[in-house]
Amino acid sequence: MTTTLPCWFALIYSSAILFITARGKGGSGEEIVCLYEEWSEPVETIENEQRLFEVIPKMESGTATENTILLHLYTDECTEDTRHPFFVGAHYQTGPSVLHLAQLNYQQVYPQIVSDWELPINCSLFVFIPMSKTYEQHQDFSVLQDARFPSFSAWISENRKIQALFTNHYGKKIKFFWFEKEAKFLAEMEPYEQRDEHTFLGHIFKATDAADDSFIDLYLIDGQRQKPISRDAMNEWCRSKSIAEGSKACIAEYEAEMIDWVYKFW
């Protein structure tokens, strides 16, 4: 069944998938969010001040945000955006572990957040908060007031842009790939060589041994800039499974585990 709404919005529903399509002027800039039928809303509702400062710690705590956060601030007068499809489906652009989606009725829980963060007066705002930030570092946050679909899509895309610095700590020459279902070769890297990637949150990269193409690891762009390349994570995983480190079984089983994991992002 297809329902066509005015201008740039179309809603297409089948028994399997809900598609939300947004188009800019002239039909350009198409964006689709696919919400599968087993999909459940992955949004945390922050219900008290304590939880707010657990999610977005104050500087005095000595900690910072553990994930990149997409936060919806709203009041009782503007609850309709709590179901905004580009908000509740945002992690389909980045994978399930990259964006922490949260919503806060700031009028009820913490009204002073508006003045603390110097926000415009609005009953519904979206705030993009990078990883490793504190509550006081609001100058580094990005704020969206216009929640129309084209604006929301462009804002998310812009805030997904990030630089990641890969360093070869493997001890040997490696092959380095961009990975999206198929590996696209980018370069060889000598030991301790660095490579700066201009990429997007949710993108994935792959490293293999240059000599025999054996798997080293997959690297998710999750907001952390530094990305050391090594088999440390593989060795830790194999130890937990009582598999000999560096063995063919260790490499093969860890690669299978990681490929299975990464398919959650597509």
Side-chain angles (χ1 to χ4, degrees):
M1 180 182 71
T2 302
T3 304
T4 303
L5 299 179
C7 195
W8 39 260
F9 177 80
L11 179 64
I12 306 166
Y13 180 77
S14 72
S15 61
I17 304 174
L18 174 69
F19 294 93
I20 303 296
T21 304
R23 294 182 177 86
K25 291 182 179 178
S28 63
E30 182 173 294
E31 183 74 22
I32 297 175
V33 174
C34 305
L35 307 180
Y36 295 87
E37 62 179 357
E38 67 270 18
W39 176 84
S40 59
E41 189 173 304
V43 181
E44 175 185 2
T45 299
I46 298 174
E47 297 181 336
N48 54 62
E49 185 177 323
Q50 177 182 341
R51 181 56 184 157
L52 171 63
F53 294 123
E54 290 173 351
V55 174
I56 311 167
K58 286 196 169 184
M59 195 174 297
E60 63 192 26
S61 71
T63 60
T65 52
E66 296 179 352
N67 302 87
T68 299
I69 299 167
L70 181 54
L71 176 66
H72 179 214
L73 299 175
Y74 68 97
T75 67
D76 292 331
E77 291 74 31
C78 292
T79 59
E80 62 273 10
D81 279 347
T82 61
R83 295 286 301 164
H84 194 299
F86 278 15
F87 171 56
V88 299
H91 73 287
Y92 277 92
Q93 295 190 45
T94 64
S97 64
V98 176
L99 277 182
H100 181 169
L101 306 181
Q103 56 191 12
L104 171 71
N105 186 329
Y106 71 86
Q107 196 174 51
Q108 293 184 7
V109 177
Y110 202 68
Q112 73 186 67
I113 197 170
V114 174
S115 57
D116 285 351
W117 288 359
E118 301 174 342
L119 296 172
I121 302 300
N122 198 316
C123 65
S124 180
L125 293 168
F126 293 91
V127 186
F128 197 96
I129 304 171
M131 179 184 284
S132 302
K133 298 296 180 181
T134 65
Y135 180 87
E136 290 83 0
Q137 292 176 297
H138 58 87
Q139 296 89 348
D140 297 330
F141 304 168
S142 176
V143 179
L144 177 72
Q145 296 186 68
D146 180 3
R148 290 176 297 176
F149 280 26
S151 300
F152 205 120
S153 175
W155 180 70
I156 289 288
S157 295
E158 182 63 30
N159 281 285
R160 285 182 62 207
K161 294 178 181 178
I162 193 170
Q163 282 183 259
L165 183 64
F166 291 88
T167 305
N168 180 7
H169 288 294
Y170 179 59
K172 302 177 186 178
K173 183 188 288 189
I174 67 166
K175 291 180 181 178
F176 187 68
F177 304 83
W178 179 56
F179 191 78
E180 187 178 23
K181 297 185 182 178
E182 299 291 337
K184 178 183 177 182
F185 177 73
L186 297 176
E188 289 189 344
M189 295 173 63
E190 299 289 342
Y192 304 106
E193 183 179 344
Q194 293 185 320
R195 181 179 175 88
D196 212 356
E197 287 289 338
H198 293 259
T199 184
F200 292 84
L201 289 171
H203 279 191
I204 296 169
F205 294 83
K206 177 183 178 180
T208 65
D209 189 307
D212 61 9
D213 284 323
S214 60
F215 184 75
I216 297 174
D217 216 333
L218 296 176
Y219 299 92
L220 170 66
I221 303 303
D222 57 2
Q224 292 182 336
R225 171 157 169 75
Q226 300 292 335
K227 294 291 180 183
I229 296 172
S230 73
R231 277 190 173 147
D232 289 351
M234 176 190 292
N235 290 336
E236 182 179 352
W237 184 87
C238 289
R239 285 195 299 270
S240 73
K241 303 294 183 181
S242 300
I243 305 172
E245 293 180 28
S247 66
K248 289 183 179 180
C250 171
I251 295 169
E253 293 194 31
Y254 181 73
E255 180 177 9
E257 178 77 10
M258 293 305 293
I259 295 299
D260 180 68
W261 165 78
V262 85
Y263 267 84
K264 296 175 183 176
F265 290 80
W266 298 310

